[in-house]
């Protein structure tokens, strides 16, 4: 029997603990002496079928069963169970064709239980282990680095060099001090895995992958092909992270979390009842309304228009959603220059939004790239833009022009709650009679003196109370067996979950004997598929 428990997930990557009958508990990701860990590997037959072998070939050579690790292959049915270690033989050859890499990976991930350790034999190098972990592998060996040693190559996360680099001062590990290439190469792999682990624990592996992958075209291609598999990637991304989303590269535009935000603004979010919109530039400070420029914009607008912020890479952020992840969390290098792809993607988002939510007047209070994008969107869906400035939106003259443009426009109700509920739960909430207290952005909403929602200042998401959940008629429920949870709800107790639930979503736990409010620790699919671990971090329990 082997045991595998996930500790922390970051997209497909995770930290975990793994244990076999004979060996001590191992923290993953890690590189281990896998022939010691899995003695049965030596005698097991047909464990090494090439990934590109056709189905007819794979059928002729079924791998031996009943041993650890369990062989997985794109053309084999899954035989692994929760807690097993699975092995994708020859995974290093997948790097030769990034498109195949991603197709095979998705094939294997979709059919294999999520709570299994993923072993990529003879594959890990200091220069590729970031993308292997990002792809959801967690167990490695020293074969690939030892092979580099045999070829007299000195390994670093940035690639490998001839062995004279051993005395070049690049590294000062004990291997380098002893002029022992094998020791250095193994050490370099373990160091890089330790760094990757840190990034997973901080929910920031994507940042490391975007940075490391620049040195290898295959790694960039794998990241881009994975981003193109939006539906697969999106369900593995948490709805919120308590850290900055660094949009420092062109790939940020295609990142699943960035695309999900735009899709929800277009498909779920419901704007307030008004027919006048003002398009505003973003600010470096988040949430925007705490910045000086946005204070001035809001003063000039005086609540007489719906405020929409045009920004890269998110596209369009309605004012009500400015605290929500990643709108309140992204950081982007500001140069004033928007490249052609950025303009095309963001103009497409604006055009889709305005097609679904038409306004009588749209005033562009923008300059530079954001202005160009707004014009492109107007051309795409045939609306006429008004302009209250062409440059310096925060200047006195521009602010006066904005004020004048809105003369006579009716004040609209500031209804942040309505916008946030529609975005988060896809519900058109009637907010009549709700009152607000707190100090922005830490807000509490009540009705008849009973609190219904608060804003989580970390994620920027709404936290419903039991009374709040009464206003959300369906969805985001996790159904449990006939028991009263003591603390967190564990995976085995879950019988059903709304498929839209993602890691970090606010959910209502519903059972025959109790209901509970809390935050999902896993996406719905994994709650139902795994055997161990926490499904929902519970905040409050109520017997029924
Ligand atoms: Zn060294």
């Amino acid at each position: 029997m082997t045991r595998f428990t996930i500790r922390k997930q970051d997209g497909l990557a995770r930290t975990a603990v793994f244990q076999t009958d004979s060996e001590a508990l191992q923290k993953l990701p890690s590189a281990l002496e896998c022939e010691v860990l899995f003695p049965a590997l030596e005698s097991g037959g047909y464990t090494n079928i090439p990934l590109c072998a056709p189905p007819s070939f794979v059928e002729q050579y079924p791998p031996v069963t009943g041993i650890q690790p369990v062989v997985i292959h794109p053309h084999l049915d899954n035989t692994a169970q929760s807690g097993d270690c699975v092995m994708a033989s020859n995974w290093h050859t997948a790097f030769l064709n990034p498109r195949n890499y991603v197709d095979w990976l998705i094939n294997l991930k979709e059919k294999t239980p999520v709570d299994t350790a993923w072993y990529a034999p003879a594959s890990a190098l200091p220069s590729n282990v970031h993308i292997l972990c990002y792809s959801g592998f967690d167990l490695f060996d020293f074969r690939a680095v030892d092979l580099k040693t045999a070829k007299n190559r000195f390994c670093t996360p940035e690639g490998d060099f001839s062995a004279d680099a051993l005395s070049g001062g690049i590294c000062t590990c004990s291997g380098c001090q002893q002029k022992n290439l094998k020791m250095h190469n193994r050490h370099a792999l373990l160091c890089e895995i330790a760094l990757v682990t840190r990034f997973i624990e901080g929910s920031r592996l994507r940042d490391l992958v975007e940075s490391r992958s620049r040195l290898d075209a295959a790694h960039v291609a794998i990241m881009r092909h994975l981003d193109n598999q939006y539906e697969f990637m999106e369900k593995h991304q948490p709805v919120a992270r308590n850290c900055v989303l660094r949009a420092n590269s062109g790939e940020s535009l295609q990142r699943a979390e960035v695309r999900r935000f735009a899709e929800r603004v277009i498909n779920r979010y419901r704007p307030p009842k008004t027919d006048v919109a003002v398009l505003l530039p973003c600010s470096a400070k988040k949430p925007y309304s705490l910045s000086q420029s946005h204070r001035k914009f809001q003063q000039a607008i005086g609540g007489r228009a719906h405020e929409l912020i045009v920004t890269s890479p998110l596209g369009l952020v309605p004012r009500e959603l400015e605290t929500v992840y990643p709108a309140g969390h992204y950081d982007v290098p500001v140069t004033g220059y928007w490249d052609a792809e950025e303009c095309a993607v963001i103009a497409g988002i604006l055009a889709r939004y305005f097609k679904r939510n038409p306004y009588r007047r749209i005033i562009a209070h923008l300059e530079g790239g954001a202005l160009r994008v707004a014009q492109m969107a107007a051309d795409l869906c045939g609306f006429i833009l008004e302009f209250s400035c062409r440059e310096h939106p925060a200047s006195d003259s521009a602010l006066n022009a904005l004020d004048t443009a809105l003369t006579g426009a009716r004040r609209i109700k500031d209804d942040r709650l309505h916008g946030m509920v529609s975005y988060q739960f896809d519900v058109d909430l009637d907010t009549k009679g709700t009152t607000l207290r707190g100090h922005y952005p830490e807000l509490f909403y009540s009705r008849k003196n009973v609190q219904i929602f608060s804003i989580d200042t970390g994620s920027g998401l709404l936290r419903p109370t039991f009374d709040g959940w009464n206003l959300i008629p369906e969805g985001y429920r996790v159904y449990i067996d006939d028991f009263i949870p003591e603390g967190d709800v564990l995976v085995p107790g879950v019988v059903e979950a709304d498929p839209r639930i993602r890691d970090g979503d606010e959910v209502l736990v519903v059972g025959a004997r109790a209901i509970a409010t809390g935050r999902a620790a896993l996406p719905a699919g994994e709650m139902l598929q795994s055997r161990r671990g926490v499904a929902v971090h519970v905040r409050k329990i109520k017997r029924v």
Side-chain angles (χ1 to χ4, degrees):
M1 251 282 273
T2 52
R3 287 158 70 95
F4 176 80
T5 310
I6 295 171
R7 285 281 155 86
K8 160 90 194 161
Q9 283 183 296
D10 180 4
L12 295 168
R14 57 269 176 93
T15 64
V17 289
F18 179 67
Q19 193 165 26
T20 64
D21 285 336
S22 55
E23 298 292 315
L25 195 73
Q26 306 286 349
K27 280 188 182 166
L28 300 185
S30 187
L32 301 168
E33 304 280 359
C34 286
E35 45 287 320
V36 179
L37 196 62
F38 303 119
L41 251 187
E42 204 178 5
S43 54
Y46 306 137
T47 54
N48 200 24
I49 305 282
L51 285 160
C52 58
S56 57
F57 183 89
V58 178
E59 273 166 32
Q60 285 177 55
Y61 302 100
V64 64
T65 52
I67 64 158
Q68 292 288 329
V70 177
V71 173
I72 52 173
H73 188 281
H75 297 312
L76 279 177
D77 289 337
N78 171 65
T79 56
Q81 295 176 352
S82 293
D84 282 345
C85 176
V86 299
M87 177 172 77
S89 304
N90 300 300
W91 194 257
H92 60 285
T93 62
F95 284 106
L96 298 172
N97 186 327
R99 193 179 292 277
N100 285 348
Y101 181 109
V102 169
D103 288 347
W104 289 333
L105 183 73
I106 294 175
N107 170 309
L108 295 173
K109 281 283 170 191
E110 300 235 290
K111 67 186 178 194
T112 311
V114 62
D115 47 355
T116 45
W118 278 55
Y119 174 30
S123 299
L125 294 168
S127 55
N128 69 13
V129 78
H130 66 90
I131 199 99
L132 286 169
C133 289
Y134 181 75
S135 310
F137 287 94
D138 11 62
L139 179 58
F140 312 102
D141 54 34
F142 295 104
R143 286 286 159 85
V145 275
D146 286 354
L147 197 60
K148 290 283 182 189
T149 307
K151 290 177 174 169
N152 251 331
R153 302 296 292 175
F154 176 91
C155 295
T156 75
E158 291 80 12
D160 52 278
F161 305 96
S162 60
D164 59 345
L166 202 55
S167 47
I170 296 171
C171 175
T172 56
C173 76
S174 47
C176 286
Q177 283 169 18
Q178 296 167 40
K179 302 283 177 282
N180 183 331
L181 186 62
K182 178 180 175 181
M183 199 194 257
H184 161 80
N185 280 344
R186 286 183 167 216
H187 178 263
L189 176 60
L190 291 172
C191 264
E192 180 70 0
I193 291 173
L195 185 72
V196 165
T197 304
R198 272 287 159 137
F199 273 84
I200 296 172
E201 284 167 349
S203 274
R204 292 182 51 205
L205 185 60
R206 172 77 181 206
D207 295 348
L208 184 70
V209 169
E210 285 195 12
S211 145
R212 285 278 196 255
S213 60
R214 297 299 142 195
L215 290 161
D216 190 319
H219 298 169
V220 176
I222 290 166
M223 180 170 59
R224 289 186 185 166
H225 282 311
L226 276 172
D227 282 345
N228 285 338
Q229 300 292 331
Y230 171 69
E231 276 178 29
F232 171 75
M233 289 302 275
E234 187 276 327
K235 57 188 178 201
H236 293 284
Q237 306 305 320
V239 286
R241 300 171 190 266
N242 278 326
C243 62
V244 175
L245 183 145
R246 275 168 228 282
N248 290 343
S249 80
E251 277 95 13
S252 308
L253 275 172
Q254 306 302 336
R255 189 169 165 173
E257 291 152 282
V258 168
R259 222 176 122 186
R260 173 168 62 200
F261 182 82
E263 291 299 327
R264 288 189 178 185
V265 166
I266 294 164
N267 295 317
R268 288 188 175 194
Y269 164 73
R270 292 163 179 86
K273 288 187 181 62
T274 175
D275 54 4
V276 184
V278 175
L279 301 178
L280 295 169
C282 64
S283 62
K285 195 172 174 85
K286 312 281 178 325
Y288 309 121
S289 57
L290 295 180
S291 73
Q292 274 199 2
S293 59
H294 276 253
R295 275 186 199 152
K296 290 178 184 169
F297 298 149
Q298 289 192 291
Q299 216 168 11
I301 294 165
R304 292 172 294 172
H306 186 213
E307 299 169 22
L308 295 161
I309 293 93
V310 179
T311 184
S312 181
L314 299 183
L316 195 65
V317 181
R319 173 67 75 197
E320 308 97 287
L321 303 185
E322 67 177 1
T323 60
V324 174
Y325 181 89
H329 304 69
Y330 70 102
D331 191 20
V332 56
V334 179
T335 58
Y337 172 79
W338 294 39
D339 68 36
E341 197 202 349
E342 213 170 10
C343 288
V345 170
I346 293 171
I349 294 169
L350 265 66
R352 284 172 65 202
Y353 174 85
F354 284 117
K355 242 179 212 156
R356 198 177 148 104
N357 303 295
Y359 295 76
R360 186 172 52 86
R361 297 177 64 198
I362 301 172
I363 301 167
H365 194 74
L366 299 168
E367 63 179 339
L371 180 62
R372 191 146 63 95
V373 162
Q375 190 59 65
M376 283 169 71
D379 295 345
L380 275 174
C381 54
F383 61 78
I384 310 288
L385 269 186
E386 296 175 41
F387 302 96
S388 50
C389 71
R390 302 268 183 176
E391 52 187 10
H392 309 305
S395 68
D396 288 345
S397 59
L399 294 167
N400 284 335
L402 181 57
D403 180 22
T404 309
L406 290 168
T407 307
R410 261 186 324 119
R411 274 187 73 91
I412 59 166
K413 191 180 156 209
D414 174 15
D415 203 345
R416 192 175 286 267
L417 180 62
H418 179 262
M420 289 181 75
V421 168
S422 67
Y423 172 88
Q424 192 173 334
F425 300 107
D426 199 9
V427 163
D428 193 0
L429 178 73
D430 180 2
T431 56
K432 210 182 272 175
T434 52
T435 54
L436 172 67
R437 65 183 173 82
H439 188 70
Y440 179 81
E442 196 171 11
L443 300 177
F444 303 86
Y445 292 91
S446 302
R447 184 179 273 178
K448 293 176 184 158
N449 285 327
V450 178
Q451 189 178 316
I452 46 177
F453 294 99
S454 59
I455 295 180
D456 179 320
T457 49
S459 63
L461 292 170
L462 286 171
R463 260 189 321 221
T465 62
F466 288 115
D467 293 285
W469 278 111
N470 285 338
L471 304 173
I472 300 168
E474 55 176 21
Y476 289 91
R477 265 66 169 177
V478 174
Y479 295 93
I480 57 167
D481 257 335
D482 183 15
F483 67 96
I484 297 167
E486 291 174 29
D488 292 341
V489 170
L490 302 179
V491 162
V494 176
V495 290
E496 212 191 314
D498 181 351
R500 295 175 300 174
I501 294 170
R502 299 288 174 266
D503 175 7
D505 259 322
E506 287 295 325
V507 294
L508 181 68
V509 177
V510 182
R513 296 171 64 194
I515 57 172
T517 59
R519 172 170 292 190
L522 294 171
E526 292 183 20
M527 283 183 197
L528 300 171
Q529 210 198 25
S530 11
R531 261 194 348 204
R532 296 162 65 88
V534 174
V536 180
H537 295 298
V538 166
R539 205 164 32 246
K540 270 197 173 150
I541 301 173
K542 200 158 92 177
R543 287 164 187 257
V544 290

